[in-house]
Amino acid sequence: MAGFFVVGPVRRRRAAALALVLLLAPAAAGWRWLEARAAADQQALASFLAGRVVVIDPGHGGPDPGASSADGLLEKDVVLAVALELQRLLAAAGAQAHLTRDADIDLSGMPDASLRERWRAAHRRRVEIARERGAEIVVSVHANAVPSPRWYGAQVFHRPGADEATRSLAAHIQRELRHITAGTDRQVSDHVDHYLLNNVTVPAVTVELGFLSNPREARLLAREDYQRKLAWAIFVGIAHYFAETGRPGLRP
Ligand SMILES: [Zn+2]
């Protein structure tokens, strides 16, 4: 759309005003406007995503529900919904998007073992899947819960001492979560000890979608439109990461 503007001396102020309107329009018209624009954006972003291999890891599953809200919304269900939508967006853009689980299943393969052993085995399996699929990046999706109901907001984590590419991936996703959900001013953090992040060699981040312990955010996290918004933010962050780190359209 940039070519649309003919910015001469007399038109510059009007163009600036129009640009401001375009910037503010998403906030004014809300998600519906953003969604309408999404189809065009998706086309543009696809050039950076074609052929890229992304492993999406919805946390927990099966006997491990993860965190939960006061009224029983389970982390394993919210993260799966967002992960499935993220996979759909990435696949539509030509990426190879693999999930570590695409249903409410136990990844351990050890149904008779103790819960702790199953939990460990499931984590090992997530790492194996990332390797088997040839992941270029890994995005693990979780939701938080803490004793205080006040905390809210989506936040991206990477392991301490992560390389520049990993920090870049985290920063791109965090930025889009801030812009698109408008529900957080949180910053990327490395205060995390996550088996998957510690055991894959490619850039890997955990996206904590929000706090199930915050009643208002828990209600949002239960909504399909908000889940789609979160998936879109992660999708755009991933696209920007690949736009920065690789040449578009050259990968098989
Ligand atoms: Zn979790």
Side-chain angles (χ1 to χ4, degrees):
M1 285 297 284
F4 174 77
F5 299 105
V6 181
V7 186
V10 283
R11 292 203 172 172
R12 194 162 290 148
R13 190 173 298 175
R14 194 179 298 174
L18 182 54
L20 187 64
V21 168
L22 287 172
L23 270 175
L24 295 177
W31 174 234
R32 194 175 293 269
W33 186 90
L34 199 60
E35 199 171 25
R37 208 191 63 182
D41 283 358
Q42 199 168 344
Q43 201 73 25
L45 295 171
S47 62
F48 301 110
L49 288 163
R52 297 295 194 175
V53 185
V54 179
V55 166
I56 308 160
D57 171 49
H60 313 279
D64 170 15
S68 58
S69 72
D71 54 1
L73 181 65
L74 300 179
E75 177 184 357
K76 66 175 181 178
D77 296 328
V78 175
V79 300
L80 180 60
V82 172
L84 285 167
E85 173 65 6
L86 177 58
Q87 182 194 36
R88 193 190 66 76
L89 289 167
L90 286 166
Q96 294 177 43
H98 304 287
L99 291 162
T100 54
R101 66 177 179 96
D102 60 3
D104 182 18
I105 55 165
D106 176 12
L107 280 168
S108 75
M110 303 167 65
D112 301 323
S114 70
L115 275 180
R116 176 135 192 90
E117 283 176 52
R118 289 165 84 177
W119 186 84
R120 281 188 181 152
H123 276 78
R124 285 196 298 271
R125 182 70 195 125
R126 293 171 202 274
V127 173
E128 278 171 16
I129 292 171
R131 286 188 188 139
E132 284 165 10
R133 298 295 193 176
E136 291 179 85
I137 62 167
V138 177
V139 177
S140 191
V141 186
H142 286 257
N144 251 320
V146 293
S148 167
R150 285 202 296 274
W151 291 30
Y152 66 92
Q155 188 167 20
V156 184
F157 293 83
H158 60 65
R159 64 178 168 248
D163 61 13
E164 198 180 329
T166 305
R167 291 203 307 274
S168 163
L169 176 63
H172 280 296
I173 296 174
Q174 183 73 61
R175 191 186 62 203
E176 298 307 323
L177 286 166
R178 268 200 301 273
H179 288 174
I180 291 172
T181 72
T184 183
D185 57 3
R186 291 185 172 277
Q187 308 286 326
V188 171
S189 170
D190 66 357
H191 288 197
V192 67
D193 183 13
H194 190 298
Y195 185 86
L196 180 60
L197 303 193
N198 293 340
N199 286 279
V200 293
T201 52
V202 296
V205 298
T206 291
V207 180
E208 294 281 357
L209 299 174
F211 286 82
L212 289 163
S213 43
N214 178 290
R216 186 180 163 276
E217 195 162 41
R219 281 195 296 277
L220 281 175
L221 288 165
R223 287 173 51 163
E224 198 185 319
D225 60 344
Y226 191 72
Q227 293 169 355
R228 283 165 55 208
K229 213 165 167 175
L230 288 164
W232 175 252
I234 300 169
F235 168 76
V236 176
I238 291 172
H240 284 189
Y241 165 78
F242 280 124
E244 183 184 270
T245 57
R247 290 173 294 174
L250 293 181
R251 296 188 63 85

